[in-house]
Structures are given as structure tokens and as C-alpha cells.
Amino acid sequence: MKRWYMLTVVGKDRPGIVAHVTAALYEGGCNLGEASMMRLGGSFTIMLMVQHPGTAQSLEQILETVIDSMDLHIHIDAIEGRLHQHLLPDVRITVFGADKPGIVAKITGALSNAGLHILNLESDVGGSDAHPLYIMHIEGQAGAGLDALRSALQVAAGEGVETSLTAIDTLVG
């Protein structure tokens, strides 16, 4: 029986990480599911669902040569493989303002209390060293409706950030 694992890989960004990791998994008889792979700062990170007939330890052995040769860090968790059960976002929120401690916790806390189920959050720091600007893009499901989110974002505006809220019309089928 094949089991599903969540594979997390992190290391200094360089060309070839995705190619080498996925080639090792393919050669090791693994099947790949959903993935998120991206550059964050000077690092590259992979979160990848992997179907493998063995244990987490045997999965790590499949990747050992690649991990060692590219100086990567790996973490593996057994998970339930729930493919094809995608949640579609119905709202997109953008937040930007002066970068300061707590901005993510305050905004996401207010949005969570207003019924938002965050499905994807990406952030970046722009501006300059002297005047950093924090930018967040959030997609999610507005469980309590758009008005609740608008109210939460008005409170966030009091924190010195600007926000935008856009409904997403998703046509499926």
C-alpha cells in the first residue's frame, strides 16, 4: 500500500533544486501530488505531497544523495492524501503598509475572527532599508461574508496599512 507524505525541503537558492529532488523521487518510484515551491529571501523551499510505498525513513533515503550534495534540509510527515478536494477562494485581499512587528499576526487574526479561511498567503518586503514596506496578498473563503471582512479591514486601516478586498467569481465546470 502506498502512503502519502508531506515533504518539506529548504536550502540556499540555486538552480536545479526542483529538477534534482523530483528526479530522485521519480527514480525512487514515488508519485507526486500537490506542491508549493518558491524562493523566499535567499532560500528555496519545497512543500510537496509524495506517495511512496515505504516508510518516511525509506523516503528520506531516496533523497539522501540530493539533500547532501545540495546542502538542503528535509522534513517528512505522514499525511492523508486528499487529492482532488480543492477549496476555491472567493475573496482576494491585499494589505500594504510600513513594515513593523506584528503586522501579519494582527491582520490575519482580525480576518480569521471575521470568518476568513486563508487558502494562500504570499508576502514580500519592498521599499528601502530606511523605509521598508510590507505587502501581503491573501486568498481565501469568506465564511461570514464580505461585510465581516470589510469591517475587520477597517480596523486594520487603523494600524497604518492600506487594504483592498476583491470578490473572486470562480466559474467551475
Side-chain angles (χ1 to χ4, degrees):
M1 178 175 101
K2 290 189 177 185
R3 297 178 189 96
W4 282 99
Y5 297 92
M6 182 62 70
L7 171 66
T8 306
V9 178
V10 178
K12 182 180 176 187
D13 184 36
R14 67 177 60 92
I17 294 174
V18 174
H20 290 296
V21 168
T22 57
L25 291 169
Y26 170 71
E27 292 165 6
C30 298
N31 185 39
L32 306 184
E34 296 174 17
S36 177
M37 304 181 196
M38 68 183 70
R39 185 176 195 280
L40 297 171
S43 296
F44 192 81
T45 184
I46 297 173
M47 287 184 62
L48 175 63
M49 292 176 63
V50 178
Q51 191 178 36
H52 171 63
T55 64
Q57 184 178 7
S58 65
L59 179 56
E60 188 169 355
Q61 289 171 346
I62 289 171
L63 292 163
E64 188 173 22
T65 302
V66 172
I67 297 303
D68 290 345
S69 70
M70 299 192 82
D71 194 28
L72 302 170
H73 305 279
I74 185 173
H75 181 83
I76 300 171
D77 289 302
I79 62 167
E80 290 184 37
R82 293 184 174 180
L83 298 178
H84 313 291
Q85 295 182 9
H86 301 282
L87 298 177
L88 298 175
D90 59 12
V91 65
R92 180 175 296 118
I93 299 166
T94 302
V95 179
F96 59 96
D99 187 20
K100 57 185 174 183
I103 190 169
V104 176
K106 289 177 184 175
I107 299 298
T108 58
L111 292 170
S112 175
N113 289 338
L116 181 67
H117 179 180
I118 295 175
L119 301 176
N120 188 39
L121 185 152
E122 294 182 6
S123 66
D124 201 355
V125 179
S128 65
D129 286 338
H131 302 288
L133 179 67
Y134 200 81
I135 306 152
M136 253 188 306
H137 300 282
I138 302 169
E139 290 185 348
Q141 291 181 332
L146 295 180
D147 288 338
L149 295 178
R150 283 188 188 99
S151 294
L153 290 173
Q154 285 177 346
V155 171
E159 294 287 327
V161 298
E162 293 187 37
T163 64
S164 70
L165 172 68
T166 306
I168 298 173
D169 290 325
T170 307
L171 178 61
V172 179

